[in-house]
Amino acid sequence: MFDTLLIANRGEIACRIAATARRMGIRTVAVYSDADADARHVQACDRAVRIGGPEPAASYLRGDVILEAALRTGARAIHPGYGFLSENADFARACADAGLVFVGPPVDAIAAMGSKSAAKTLMSGAAVPLVPGYHGERQEADFLQEQARAIGYPVLIKASAGGGGKGMRIVHADSEFPAALASCQREAASSFGNAQVLVERYLTKPRHIEIQVFADTHGQCVHLFERDCSVQRRHQKVIEEAPAPGMTPDRREAMGQAAVAAAQAVGYVGAGTVEFIAEPDGRFYFMEMNTRLQVEHPVTEAITGQDLVEWQLRVAAGQPLPLRQDQLRIQGHALEARIYAENPDKDFLPSIGRLDALQWPPHVVFQTGPVRVDGGVREGDTISPHYDPMIAKLIVHGQDREQARQRMLRALGAVRATGVQTNIAFLGRLMDDPAFAAADLDTGLIEREHDRLFPAPQACGDTTLALAAAALLHHDGLSGPDATPDRDPWRQADNWRIGGRYENTLTLLDAQGQRTVQVRRDGCVWTLAVDEQPAQSFDWQAEGRHPAHIRVRLGDAETRGDIHRDGPRLDVFAEGRRQTLEWRNPLALAAAAADDTAGGLTAPMPGKILSVAVAAGDAVTRGTPLIVMEAMKMEHTIDAPHDGTVKEVFYVVGDQVTEGVVLIDLEAAGGD
């Protein structure tokens, strides 16, 4: 076994690899960009080396600099993690040329599977079933459109060198094909440096099932069963689970044998994942093989009791696989939820900013347990526009699927994350969705269950407003029914009165608009009234301020919650939900300067302008695409919110913009 390992990655996967290496007594070396100088993965390793600027192309994609760092620090092996250089055959070859062990498959296997088109040709020769489609080298737009017509719509355009849902478009009609192809090719070129695509028949109600395979240098190859990754948004996985619900022993055996055959066809060594698309009748087709560890590997670890990173390191060191196929068993059921800094209500737009709070339920880290958290960021860290916005992976294990599902629901309800938008509430709704609970799974589940998963914004209940009011009162030095100010009353501006009388009207904004909460104290008796409703008896107890842990009794009902405050924003965590309110502090509002950007379309996130479809003077209708931006290697189209005339366009193609800047001045139709 090598004594020093350089981890050529960042974030969660770098921390994950470092944890296993430390347990095995292997010294670790981290690499970091300027944006990651204080990152968690840097502190997780024994040594760290700076490799460049914040953009991946200036740091984590610079194979030559990473190799130099490995040689300089005495590393004998490089683990690429996933993403970045993990499936780059040239980098794997350069490692070998430098006398370093690449913790991954042979160069030829990476090259064979690196192109989806070439891989499918190879799989056809190995008798692995394929989805009907065009996987060839010709890339002329007219020719590809002809192939789409021959296949029959709907079709799927997919980046040949891609993964992670990037460079992928579903096309339902011939008229949509040219624009979808151009967008797909741009995204593929940006993400993978290769604009080549393939075109396949798009299957209706398919399931995404993948098989974990492992091979060593001694001729052994096994599979560690399957994972169901059908629940996706934007073709990116959201929930993964193992084993796949409804999987029969015969089908598991057939898919496992097909996956092993695919690995053996390319002389595979190490960890790999063979991905299949399965139809409702049980037929399955090869999609691609990822020649690396997968993001969702913890669910396989949970049901097998194995550490797959340890398996990788042992195989890379020339050791045989720890277990034979007949020694592997499935134990219980596991679920993984990817927690992202994103806004599900805005088409999962990434949310950039500082994680003001990040707290988890009781859990283990980078090892199997009832609740596991694999994360690469900490409270106080910043979600950067340069990298994937995943905060962490929440993994649960249970005796069966229902126990695991209930455990996930409770764990999600206990997560506290503020400062950025997250998908935590959405994940909770997904776990509780009847279709998901019944394991009625397919890759279109989120779209199919849209109304349930994206309910209209709801007004906060009285107890939530009472928790927020109690937090504000507590912040002003008042606490409980016997409260007296703990500061000089002559310096207070909170409506305190001599004689123990207190009255204050708080204005709070929730998802439905402005809410009024009136609190009064006469002697030792407190009351609270919401929106001019009859007043109810009100008392509370509070601990701490950031966050404030509060117990509120309103009438006969008692509620407990945590309230995180950042200026006027109040994040209220109670009953497994997070609700956000804004306090309209009259003193702060009076002091605030007016900021008039009426008519301006602003950037929803930091990013790069890819295309501008309009110019000053153009008349547009509601829904017209105006600008295409790129953030985190994903394209986001900004459409006209209403009919109108473009007065001015402030940026051009190639410009980098920050969140909130005005991109276009759009005058509404009929405006002055």
Side-chain angles (χ1 to χ4, degrees):
M1 180 60 67
F2 29 80
D3 56 7
T4 304
L5 174 72
L6 183 139
I7 304 171
N9 216 297
R10 66 176 300 278
E12 167 264 328
I13 186 56
C15 296
R16 165 73 187 90
I17 296 164
T20 289
R22 184 183 305 110
R23 182 174 56 79
M24 296 176 67
I26 300 172
R27 179 172 171 267
T28 54
V29 179
V31 293
Y32 65 91
S33 70
D34 290 342
D36 281 340
D38 298 318
R40 182 178 177 182
H41 78 275
V42 173
Q43 298 181 7
C45 292
D46 299 300
R47 186 171 176 182
V49 179
R50 176 188 175 275
I51 54 171
E55 298 81 7
S59 51
Y60 297 106
L61 291 174
R62 295 185 64 187
D64 56 338
V65 177
I66 290 172
L67 283 173
E68 181 185 345
L71 295 171
R72 190 167 74 246
T73 57
R76 294 178 56 200
I78 293 180
H79 196 310
Y82 45 68
F84 296 134
L85 297 171
S86 62
E87 295 178 282
N88 187 305
D90 292 337
F91 180 67
R93 185 178 295 109
C95 287
D97 292 344
L100 297 168
V101 175
F102 178 79
V103 183
V107 173
D108 290 345
I110 298 175
M113 290 299 185
S115 165
K116 288 184 173 64
S117 298
K120 294 197 174 187
T121 300
L122 187 63
M123 291 303 101
S124 178
V128 179
L130 301 176
V131 177
Y134 175 73
H135 312 117
E137 296 296 320
R138 292 189 60 180
Q139 294 292 298
E140 305 93 320
D142 291 344
F143 175 79
L144 291 175
Q145 189 162 11
E146 289 176 9
Q147 301 306 304
R149 292 173 186 144
I151 295 165
Y153 292 98
V155 298
L156 182 67
I157 307 173
K158 186 159 51 174
S160 182
K166 298 180 178 68
M168 191 181 297
R169 299 291 185 274
I170 301 170
V171 185
H172 294 277
D174 197 57
S175 60
E176 301 171 4
F177 191 89
L181 174 64
S183 177
C184 186
Q185 289 173 327
R186 282 196 306 269
E187 197 166 276
S190 172
S191 297
F192 315 112
N194 185 342
Q196 185 167 324
V197 300
L198 54 83
V199 183
E200 293 180 336
R201 178 162 67 91
Y202 180 71
L203 306 180
T204 57
K205 208 171 183 185
R207 287 175 67 178
H208 183 132
I209 297 176
E210 60 191 33
I211 307 291
Q212 176 73 63
V213 295
F214 244 102
D216 62 20
T217 56
H218 302 271
Q220 300 181 82
C221 186
V222 302
H223 68 83
L224 288 88
F225 313 113
E226 79 281 354
R227 299 184 286 257
D228 193 312
C229 306
S230 300
V231 183
Q232 303 177 7
R233 55 99 172 107
R234 286 182 163 183
H235 308 293
Q236 290 183 303
K237 301 162 188 173
V238 177
I239 299 290
E240 300 100 355
E241 58 183 301
M247 178 66 74
T248 65
D250 288 345
R251 191 183 307 169
R252 176 174 293 125
E253 178 67 16
M255 296 185 78
Q257 288 182 357
V260 169
Q264 291 174 328
V266 293
Y268 203 79
V269 174
T273 300
V274 183
E275 301 196 350
F276 296 98
I277 199 82
E279 296 199 78
D281 62 6
R283 289 180 295 173
F284 61 90
Y285 309 99
F286 174 85
M287 285 200 305
E288 62 182 316
M289 183 176 186
N290 290 312
T291 55
R292 53 171 168 80
L293 200 65
Q294 292 278 90
V295 176
E296 56 273 20
H297 75 273
V299 294
T300 296
E301 294 185 326
I303 67 165
T304 61
Q306 302 302 309
D307 183 330
L308 298 191
V309 173
E310 180 178 343
W311 278 42
Q312 283 189 295
L313 297 175
R314 294 195 180 281
V315 167
Q319 298 179 15
L321 292 177
L323 296 174
R324 301 186 310 270
Q325 187 70 63
D326 61 1
Q327 294 175 307
L328 291 163
R329 298 287 185 274
I330 294 176
Q331 306 164 14
H333 199 96
L335 289 163
E336 175 180 290
R338 301 189 188 191
I339 296 178
Y340 277 93
E342 64 184 13
N343 189 342
D345 294 328
K346 293 186 177 180
D347 197 25
F348 299 96
L349 199 66
S351 179
I352 312 302
R354 184 179 183 273
L355 270 168
D356 295 332
L358 182 60
Q359 299 164 14
W360 303 100
H363 64 278
V364 298
V365 178
F366 302 127
Q367 59 182 305
T368 297
V371 179
R372 166 179 172 175
V373 176
D374 284 12
V377 297
R378 302 150 300 186
E379 184 172 284
D381 285 351
T382 297
I383 302 299
S384 164
H386 303 294
Y387 313 116
D388 186 88
M390 189 170 71
I391 296 171
K393 302 179 308 194
L394 181 62
I395 306 103
V396 299
H397 184 240
Q399 294 179 353
D400 54 32
R401 187 176 190 269
E402 182 57 20
Q403 186 185 61
R405 189 181 71 87
Q406 292 293 338
R407 188 164 282 165
M408 179 66 83
L409 273 169
R410 291 192 297 272
L412 286 168
V415 179
R416 305 286 186 261
T418 68
V420 295
Q421 295 286 337
T422 74
N423 64 340
I424 295 171
F426 169 77
L427 292 171
R429 294 193 296 270
L430 190 53
M431 279 290 125
D432 210 26
D433 180 77
F436 183 85
D440 181 13
L441 307 177
D442 65 84
T443 57
L445 183 143
I446 290 177
E447 289 78 11
R448 179 160 47 89
E449 297 291 301
H450 185 275
D451 290 348
R452 290 181 185 269
L453 298 176
F454 298 91
Q458 299 294 314
C460 290
D462 289 359
T463 53
T464 299
L465 295 170
L467 284 166
L472 292 172
L473 295 172
H474 176 57
H475 186 268
D476 280 337
L478 298 161
S479 56
D482 300 320
T484 56
D486 61 7
R487 297 174 295 170
D488 183 348
W490 308 111
R491 296 180 180 273
Q492 291 182 230
D494 59 4
N495 295 337
W496 179 85
R497 294 291 183 270
I498 292 175
R501 187 179 179 86
Y502 178 95
E503 181 173 332
N504 199 355
T505 299
L506 305 170
T507 301
L508 299 165
L509 295 183
D510 67 8
Q512 287 290 317
Q514 184 168 297
R515 310 294 299 279
T516 300
V517 180
Q518 188 174 58
V519 289
R520 285 182 177 171
R521 176 179 186 259
D522 284 306
C524 295
V525 178
W526 283 84
T527 58
L528 179 146
V530 175
D531 296 336
E532 300 182 356
Q533 296 176 14
Q536 302 181 68
S537 60
F538 172 55
D539 68 73
W540 75 95
Q541 293 178 351
E543 297 177 1
R545 289 196 174 179
H546 302 291
H549 306 284
I550 295 179
R551 178 199 61 79
V552 157
R553 182 180 294 277
L554 186 63
D556 296 329
E558 183 173 304
T559 303
R560 297 174 186 270
D562 296 334
I563 294 82
H564 294 253
R565 181 180 173 188
D566 182 12
R569 192 187 75 222
L570 299 167
D571 290 303
V572 181
F573 294 90
E575 299 176 343
R577 294 191 301 165
R578 167 189 172 182
Q579 293 181 285
T580 300
L581 296 159
E582 181 183 343
W583 176 37
R584 306 294 286 174
N585 181 353
L587 296 178
L589 290 175
D595 180 17
D596 183 12
T597 58
L601 291 178
T602 60
M605 71 286 179
K608 180 181 180 180
I609 305 297
L610 291 184
S611 66
V612 179
V614 293
D618 288 353
V620 298
T621 58
R622 185 174 183 268
T624 300
L626 304 177
I627 283 182
V628 177
M629 291 182 61
E630 179 190 64
M632 298 178 178
K633 300 299 182 184
M634 296 291 286
E635 291 189 7
H636 306 275
T637 301
I638 297 171
D639 299 330
H642 50 72
D643 297 351
T645 301
V646 176
K647 295 183 66 177
E648 189 171 358
V649 179
F650 297 104
Y651 294 92
V652 299
V653 173
D655 284 351
Q656 292 281 349
V657 299
T658 58
E659 181 177 1
V661 300
V662 178
L663 302 174
I664 290 178
D665 186 357
L666 179 64
E667 182 181 65
D672 296 330

